[in-house]
């Protein structure tokens, strides 16, 4: 990857007496033990014996807890054992490295250490895909040293990755909103369908109840103990009997007429 070239550049160590001040003289808080431990650690570091170098830098910090040089160099040794060893940034070593770099980035005794601390913070954030944090760190490094081309290149890379990350996030949010709208429409359609089915069921139940009521009314007896159905049946029977009676009378009259019988309503 293109940015790896620049990330490696950040691991230049503060060496010798120029680790402590910009005028190449140890500052007032420096002890001889601190200086000896840092020089021994740098030797081990340059031999790529980062774990042993780490121990020397820790001893330097025990001797001088405020030493920005020891903090920065210890962070660099920890980074080499984590970030640059396997490309990963998980775990306590890298968390400790970030904490140390945050402290050394505020160095008032050596602006070079402060610049490199911000630079390496940018590198760690970049690898962790915290591109916004990387941009801020690189900008802080450039404020201290505007001429550092490696920092400028890394800043441009971080800005591009941040833009892509934000665009991807916006696309994901839009897709999520679309999915939510689809789910909402589905739920609304389902509710409408359920309401229609409930109304249809209610209408059917009302119709069934009306039919049942009509049947019950037809079967209920009228006053006097005769139901509508029985009354209709009796009326039909009476009509049939009356028709049969008329038919018999007419038949009888027809026979008498044929027999020459005179029918009168007066006596002889």
């Amino acid at each position: 990857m293109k940015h790896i070239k620049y990330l490696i550049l950040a691991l230049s160590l503060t060496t010798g007496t120029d680790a402590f001040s910009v005028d190449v003289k140890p500052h007032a808080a420096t002890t001889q033990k601190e200086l000896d431990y840092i020089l021994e650690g740098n030797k081990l570091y340059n031999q790529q014996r980062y774990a042993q170098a780490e121990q020397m830098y820790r001893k330097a910090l025990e001797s001088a807890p405020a030493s920005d040089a020891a903090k920065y160099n210890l962070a660099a040794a920890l980074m080499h054992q984590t970030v640059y060893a396997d490309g990963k940034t998980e775990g306590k070593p890298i968390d400790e490295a970030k904490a140390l770099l945050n402290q050394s980035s505020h160095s008032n005794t050596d602006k070079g250490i402060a610049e490199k601390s911000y630079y390496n913070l940018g590198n760690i954030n970049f690898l962790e895909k915290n591109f916004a944090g990387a941009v801020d760190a690189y900008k802080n490094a450039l404020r201290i040293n505007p001429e550092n081309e490696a920092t400028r290149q890394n800043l441009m890379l971080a800005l591009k990755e941040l833009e892509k990350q934000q665009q991807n996030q916006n696309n994901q949010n839009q897709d999520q909103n679309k999915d939510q709208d689809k789910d909402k429409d589905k739920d609304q359609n389902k509710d409408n369908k359920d309401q229609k089915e409930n109304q249809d069921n209610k209408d059917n139940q009302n119709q069934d109840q009306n039919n049942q009521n009509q049947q019950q009314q037809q079967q209920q007896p009228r006053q006097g103990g005769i139901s509508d159905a029985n009354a209709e049946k009796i009326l039909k029977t009476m009509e049939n009997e009356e028709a049969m009676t008329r038919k018999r009378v007419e038949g009888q009259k027809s026979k008498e007429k044929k027999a020459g019988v005179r029918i009168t309503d007066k006596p002889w």
Side-chain angles (χ1 to χ4, degrees):
M1 296 175 64
K2 183 178 178 181
H3 67 270
I4 293 298
K5 176 178 66 174
Y6 297 108
L7 294 179
I8 293 174
L9 290 176
L11 287 176
S12 59
L13 284 172
T14 54
T15 58
T17 56
D18 62 347
F20 306 105
S21 63
V22 293
D23 60 355
V24 198
K25 294 179 181 178
H27 57 71
T30 300
T31 65
Q32 187 61 43
K33 283 187 176 181
E34 174 197 3
L35 178 59
D36 292 341
Y37 286 135
I38 287 178
L39 292 175
E40 181 63 25
N42 292 345
K43 185 186 299 183
L44 293 167
Y45 184 98
N46 291 329
Q47 295 173 358
Q48 299 184 358
R49 297 164 64 183
Y50 303 115
Q52 291 88 336
E54 173 192 344
Q55 299 305 316
M56 292 297 104
Y57 299 138
R58 290 191 185 280
K59 289 181 179 181
L61 274 178
E62 291 176 2
S63 176
S67 172
D68 292 322
K71 292 174 184 177
Y72 175 83
N73 286 2
L74 175 57
L78 291 170
M79 288 175 66
H80 248 303
Q81 295 178 75
T82 52
V83 177
Y84 297 97
D86 53 14
K88 298 180 180 179
T89 61
E90 294 88 351
K92 291 182 178 180
I94 201 62
D95 293 337
E96 183 182 4
K98 286 191 289 186
L100 290 166
L101 290 172
N102 275 315
Q103 295 176 38
S104 59
S105 66
H106 294 86
S107 175
N108 294 319
T109 59
D110 192 328
K111 293 302 180 182
I113 291 177
E115 176 199 354
K116 293 175 183 178
S117 296
Y118 278 124
Y119 190 100
N120 274 351
L121 281 172
N123 294 342
I124 293 175
N125 285 325
F126 193 105
L127 291 175
E128 292 178 338
K129 299 187 184 304
N130 177 12
F131 300 116
V135 168
D136 289 340
Y138 291 138
K139 284 182 177 180
N140 286 330
L142 283 173
R143 289 187 182 101
I144 298 173
N145 181 12
E147 305 301 324
N148 192 319
E149 184 61 26
T151 306
R152 193 177 304 280
Q153 291 291 332
N154 277 14
L155 174 59
M156 297 302 295
L157 289 171
L159 286 169
K160 290 180 181 179
E161 293 298 327
L162 178 60
E163 183 179 1
K164 289 193 294 185
Q165 188 180 63
Q166 292 174 341
Q167 184 60 46
N168 290 335
Q169 185 63 44
N170 291 336
N171 293 337
Q172 290 177 0
N173 291 338
Q174 291 177 359
D175 292 341
Q176 185 176 4
N177 291 335
K178 289 180 181 179
D179 292 339
Q180 290 176 350
D181 291 340
K182 288 181 180 179
D183 293 339
K184 185 177 180 180
D185 291 339
K186 287 181 181 179
D187 293 339
Q188 185 63 42
N189 292 336
K190 185 177 184 300
D191 291 341
N192 293 338
K193 183 178 179 181
D194 292 341
Q195 290 178 359
K196 187 177 183 304
E197 290 179 351
N198 291 335
Q199 186 61 43
D200 292 342
N201 291 334
K202 186 176 181 179
D203 292 342
N204 292 334
Q205 290 175 358
N206 292 336
Q207 185 63 40
D208 292 341
Q209 185 64 42
N210 291 335
N211 293 338
Q212 185 176 2
N213 292 338
Q214 290 178 359
Q215 291 177 357
Q216 289 177 353
Q217 290 176 358
Q218 292 176 356
Q219 294 175 358
Q220 287 178 354
R222 292 181 177 180
Q223 292 182 356
I226 301 176
S227 66
D228 290 342
N230 290 336
E232 185 177 354
K233 186 181 294 184
I234 292 172
L235 180 61
K236 187 68 175 176
T237 300
M238 291 176 65
E239 289 176 351
N240 291 338
E241 289 178 354
E242 185 178 354
M244 292 177 66
T245 300
R246 285 198 301 270
K247 188 175 182 181
R248 284 198 302 271
V249 171
E250 290 175 356
Q252 185 63 33
K253 286 181 179 181
S254 178
K255 287 180 181 181
E256 291 177 353
K257 185 176 181 179
K258 289 180 180 181
V261 179
R262 182 181 178 184
I263 300 176
T264 179
D265 55 356
K266 296 182 179 181
W268 289 97

